């Protein structure tokens, strides 16, 4: 186990380096000048150049990258050009809101997708399979922002059942108030994840039902539900684990559009604000943090492979 973790971490170093180079290069190539965030109408050209020098923007790009990378390795992601607050502190403050929203959405999607995918795969080309497939196709095709706007219009504006935006009502700090605010964005995200998971699980179920062990179980008199939920489900957990590992990165950036639509105070809305304000340190900080989570998700998926199927050795998973 320790060798696996150490090997994966060593493999992640060049990956993170490439990600940092690409992201920094894209930010430098982006239109706009971050110095403009500090410029006032009465400011002289000498003052503008002094600001540029203080920010290190008058140096070559590779020198700027080197200084930025050294600061990142020391745990300093820089300061926001908009609100002048530490980028690291802003990300940490927003993590609970995004992680709670995304974590619940992913968990609900998996819990619903497993039985529905098993049922659809075991009833291939029948009415229930076509109905579940139609549901999955709609979920894949419908844009998240449109579904979010529709949910706000129906449940918040027309029916007045749920709040339309934010995470809390001003003056209220109860858990139920947070839950009410989270129902709509959580439902929208769950719908999107569920559609993707359903397709994978249905495909895996159809493939597993052709295996010899399934026919042997039927020959021994096992019921269809027993074969599906006791034997087939164990084998389809592997692709689900892969999706779960890849979804760890989504805990940060996956709700970018949804958080913006519902004004949810998470990292997604922070990223959108940074993009609109050309707040490059915040954009870079969120990107690097997302890359770290993706690497962690892949490592977690490798470990869970061995837990889900003891026949798979952890050393073989990582090769």
């Amino acid at each position: 186990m320790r060798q696996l973790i150490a090997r994966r971490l060593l493999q992640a170093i060049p990956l993170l380096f490439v990600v940092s180079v690409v992201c920094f290069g894209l930010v430098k190539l982006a239109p706009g000048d971050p110095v403009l965030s500090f410029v006032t109408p009465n400011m002289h050209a000498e003052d503008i150049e002094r600001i540029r020098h203080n920010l290190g923007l008058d140096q070559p790009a590779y020198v700027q990258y080197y200084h930025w990378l050294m600061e990142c390795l020391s745990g300093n992601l820089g300061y926001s050009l908009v609100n002048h607050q530490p980028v690291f502190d802003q990300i940490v403050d927003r993590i609970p809101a995004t992680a709670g929203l995304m974590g619940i959405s992913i968990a609900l999607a998996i819990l619903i997708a497993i039985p529905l995918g098993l049922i659809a795969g075991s009833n291939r080309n029948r009415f229930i399979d076509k109905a579940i497939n139609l549901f999955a196709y709609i979920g894949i095709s419908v844009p998240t922002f449109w579904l979010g706007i529709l949910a706000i219009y129906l449940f918040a504006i027309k029916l007045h059942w749920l709040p339309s935006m934010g995470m809390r009502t001003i003056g209220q700090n109860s858990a139920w108030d947070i839950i009410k605010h989270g129902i709509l964005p959580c439902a929208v995200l769950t719908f999107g994840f569920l559609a993707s998971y359903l397709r994978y699980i249905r495909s895996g179920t159809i493939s597993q039902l052709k295996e010899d062990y399934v026919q042997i179980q039927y020959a021994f008199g096992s019921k269809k539900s027993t074969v599906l939920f006791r034997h087939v489900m164990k084998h389809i957990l592997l692709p689900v684990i892969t999706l779960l590992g890849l979804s760890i990165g989504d805990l940060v950036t996956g709700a970018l559009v949804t958080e913006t639509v519902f004004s949810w105070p998470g990292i997604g809305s922070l990223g959108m604000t940074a993009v609109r304000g050309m707040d490059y340190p915040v954009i870079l900080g969120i990107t690097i943090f997302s890359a770290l989570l993706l690497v962690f998700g892949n490592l977690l998926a490798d470990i869970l492979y061995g837990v889900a199927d003891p026949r798979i050795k952890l050393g073989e998973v990582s090769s």
Side-chain angles (χ1 to χ4, degrees):
M1 179 72 72
R2 293 180 180 177
Q3 293 180 352
L4 169 67
I5 296 176
R7 188 182 305 116
R8 293 302 255 174
L9 291 177
L10 289 175
Q11 293 173 354
I13 293 176
L15 174 63
L16 292 174
F17 174 74
V18 172
V19 170
S20 66
V21 172
V22 172
C23 293
F24 189 87
L26 291 175
V27 166
K28 297 303 294 182
L29 292 174
D33 188 354
V35 176
L36 296 179
S37 302
F38 301 88
V39 174
T40 60
N42 298 325
M43 188 173 290
H44 297 289
E46 295 80 4
D47 298 327
I48 297 176
E49 291 304 318
R50 188 180 302 111
I51 294 174
R52 191 182 305 276
H53 175 74
N54 293 335
L55 294 176
L57 298 177
D58 58 342
Q59 299 176 341
Y62 65 90
V63 176
Q64 296 180 41
Y65 171 76
Y66 173 78
H67 290 307
W68 173 76
L69 182 62
M70 292 300 101
E71 291 294 331
C72 288
L73 293 177
S74 64
N76 180 18
L77 298 179
Y79 290 83
S80 169
L81 299 178
V82 176
N83 55 30
H84 313 297
Q85 298 297 317
V87 174
F88 181 81
D89 292 346
Q90 293 186 68
I91 293 176
V92 170
D93 290 341
R94 302 265 187 148
I95 284 178
T98 297
L101 182 64
M102 293 296 296
I104 294 174
S105 301
I106 293 173
L108 287 175
I110 292 177
L111 291 176
I112 298 173
I114 289 178
L116 288 182
L118 289 170
I119 293 172
S122 61
N123 294 277
R124 186 181 183 184
N125 295 328
R126 297 181 181 178
F127 174 78
I128 189 170
D129 178 37
K130 294 179 180 179
I132 294 176
N133 258 330
L134 177 62
F135 174 80
Y137 284 130
I138 293 175
I140 295 174
S141 304
V142 174
T144 303
F145 73 91
W146 183 86
L147 185 62
I149 294 173
L150 182 63
I152 291 174
Y153 176 77
L154 179 61
F155 296 102
I157 298 177
K158 282 293 184 182
L159 299 177
H160 302 285
W161 288 356
L162 297 168
S164 60
M165 60 181 62
M167 186 176 174
R168 290 185 176 89
T169 302
I170 298 177
Q172 297 187 20
N173 295 316
S174 64
W176 173 241
D177 183 61
I178 298 177
I179 292 174
K180 286 194 302 181
H181 281 80
I183 290 177
L184 286 183
C186 183
V188 170
L189 289 170
T190 301
F191 185 70
F193 284 120
L194 178 59
S196 300
Y197 294 160
L198 270 175
R199 299 295 300 164
Y200 278 97
I201 296 174
R202 176 186 178 275
S203 177
T205 301
I206 293 174
S207 176
Q208 290 297 319
L209 288 177
K210 299 177 182 178
E211 298 294 331
D212 293 336
Y213 75 90
V214 174
Q215 305 304 322
I216 293 174
Q217 291 297 324
Y218 282 131
F220 281 120
S222 299
K223 297 181 180 180
K224 183 178 180 179
S225 59
T226 302
V227 173
L228 285 176
F229 291 96
R230 181 174 297 180
H231 301 284
V232 174
M233 188 172 69
K234 292 181 180 179
H235 292 82
I236 65 170
L237 282 179
L238 294 181
V240 173
I241 289 174
T242 302
L243 292 174
L244 181 61
L246 295 176
S247 297
I248 297 296
D250 291 335
L251 289 177
V252 174
T253 58
L256 190 144
V257 176
T258 305
E259 286 186 358
T260 303
V261 171
F262 290 96
S263 299
W264 189 263
I267 297 180
S269 58
L270 175 65
M272 288 296 293
T273 303
V275 170
R276 288 194 295 265
M278 294 186 295
D279 198 346
Y280 299 142
V282 175
I283 297 173
L284 287 171
I286 293 177
T287 304
I288 294 300
F289 191 72
S290 302
L292 286 172
L293 281 183
L294 184 59
V295 170
F296 172 76
N298 289 331
L299 175 61
L300 180 63
D302 285 347
I303 296 174
L304 291 179
Y305 273 143
V307 176
D309 192 345
R311 297 173 299 175
I312 299 178
K313 296 181 180 179
L314 293 178
E316 296 176 353
V317 171
S318 61
S319 60

